[in-house]
Amino acid sequence: MTYKGDPIAEKLDKVAGAVAGATGLTRMQRRFNSGRTFRFHFVPLILLAAAIAGLWVQIALTDMLGYLFVMVAWMVSSAIQAFSPLGNLRGGRPDEREAALVRSGHFAGLLAAVAVAVLGCFALGMGAVAAQFHLGSFWAPESGTDWFALAFFLLAVEANVAVLAASAKLPDDLDDEDE
Amino acid sequence: MSVKIYNRIAVFRAEAGISRKALADKVGVNPQTIGFLERGDYNPSLELALRVAEVFKVPVELLFSFRPFPSVAATLLGQGDQA
């Protein structure tokens, strides 16, 4: 609804409406109001790649920067969860379909995180054994930031795989009929 | 893989003249869930199926079935043949 009264304010209001329509803000606002969540496909993959890159920086380059990189990747991952099918834009208690989606999404995320943790432990163990036999020097977590980086990395894996799994399970959008 | 369950919620909803949101509010779910139900993208729990049937005051087997429901036109034509 456009503002009526002052001609300058009316024009500004019309311009703002046109900008909101052109940039998709109106559509997004309608979506928020209806409580429909967003399906994410590429953002979680980018965040996963960022977390992997952060861990690589932590291992290969510098101590603190990699940890910060992984932590930021996890923080952004947690933030987008609220808008994904795992979140609840509508507020209140999730219904049975939404709850099932959250359960299955987090189950997939936890499985992926456990798999990464198990494989990582094997890799670290084999690296330690190889180092004992003087077959080379392999990285192992030592400092506090190393351990924190690993923890945030596993959290980022869980969060992003959960969002990906839940997004894949959410059916296509409905038309806007009577919503 | 779950079995497909057919339903005619949209037909009953149109007949009753209520929106997805109104039906969703009555049964306590997200309007999106009603849309997915109508489209066959989501199989409801027994509790939700019974709640929806209760809103339309019909037995649950009139709303949900393992077999596709005949179209409204086919049903009406069948009744016309019998008359």
Side-chain angles (χ1 to χ4, degrees):
Chain A
M1 182 185 260
T2 51
Y3 175 78
K4 298 243 182 279
D6 182 39
I8 296 171
E10 274 180 38
K11 275 184 188 163
L12 282 173
D13 202 31
K14 272 184 192 164
V15 169
V19 169
T23 53
L25 277 174
T26 314
R27 202 156 42 92
M28 196 176 274
Q29 182 67 42
R30 240 194 348 254
R31 196 181 182 106
F32 275 121
N33 290 344
S34 70
R36 282 183 292 163
T37 50
F38 295 82
R39 283 194 299 180
F40 290 102
H41 298 297
F42 297 110
V43 177
L45 291 176
I46 292 166
L47 288 168
L48 269 178
I52 291 167
L55 197 61
W56 178 78
V57 169
Q58 178 74 17
I59 292 169
L61 300 177
T62 165
D63 191 36
M64 196 67 182
L65 188 67
Y67 155 71
L68 286 174
F69 215 80
V70 177
M71 191 180 71
V72 169
W74 166 72
M75 283 166 74
V76 177
S77 309
S78 300
I80 68 156
Q81 267 195 4
F83 304 99
S84 77
L86 298 176
N88 187 5
L89 290 177
R90 192 171 54 107
R93 252 183 85 207
D95 67 27
E96 59 176 48
R97 180 189 59 80
E98 293 166 319
L101 212 54
V102 170
R103 277 196 301 271
S104 65
H106 279 300
F107 180 68
L110 284 170
L111 270 186
V114 166
V116 169
V118 169
L119 289 174
C121 287
F122 271 120
L124 289 173
M126 284 164 68
V129 171
Q132 276 181 349
F133 287 101
H134 306 290
L135 295 172
S137 170
F138 297 92
W139 180 84
E142 288 171 8
S143 64
T145 49
D146 284 347
W147 286 106
F148 281 128
L150 283 176
F152 282 125
F153 178 72
L154 289 175
L155 286 171
V157 168
E158 195 282 328
N160 287 301
V161 172
V163 170
L164 279 173
S167 297
K169 273 202 157 186
L170 187 71
D172 288 338
D173 262 352
L174 300 158
D175 49 20
D176 280 345
E177 184 241 329
D178 76 15
E179 281 198 270
Chain B
M1 175 125 178
S2 57
V3 179
K4 175 144 175 95
I5 295 178
Y6 297 89
N7 72 78
R8 43 184 172 193
I9 296 172
V11 177
F12 276 86
R13 192 168 60 78
E15 193 185 2
I18 58 172
S19 65
R20 275 183 197 154
K21 190 173 183 324
L23 178 58
D25 288 343
K26 283 186 182 185
V27 297
V29 297
N30 188 332
Q32 207 179 11
T33 301
I34 298 294
F36 291 150
L37 266 179
E38 289 181 353
R39 212 166 60 179
D41 284 337
Y42 175 65
N43 288 348
S45 66
L46 180 60
E47 184 189 342
L48 179 56
L50 286 169
R51 276 195 197 159
V52 175
E54 200 174 31
V55 169
F56 296 117
K57 297 183 175 62
V58 291
V60 73
E61 62 269 24
L62 274 186
L63 269 178
F64 298 95
S65 170
F66 286 123
R67 285 180 296 280
F69 287 102
S71 69
V72 176
T75 309
L76 290 173
L77 283 170
Q79 283 179 351
D81 289 344
Q82 288 167 4

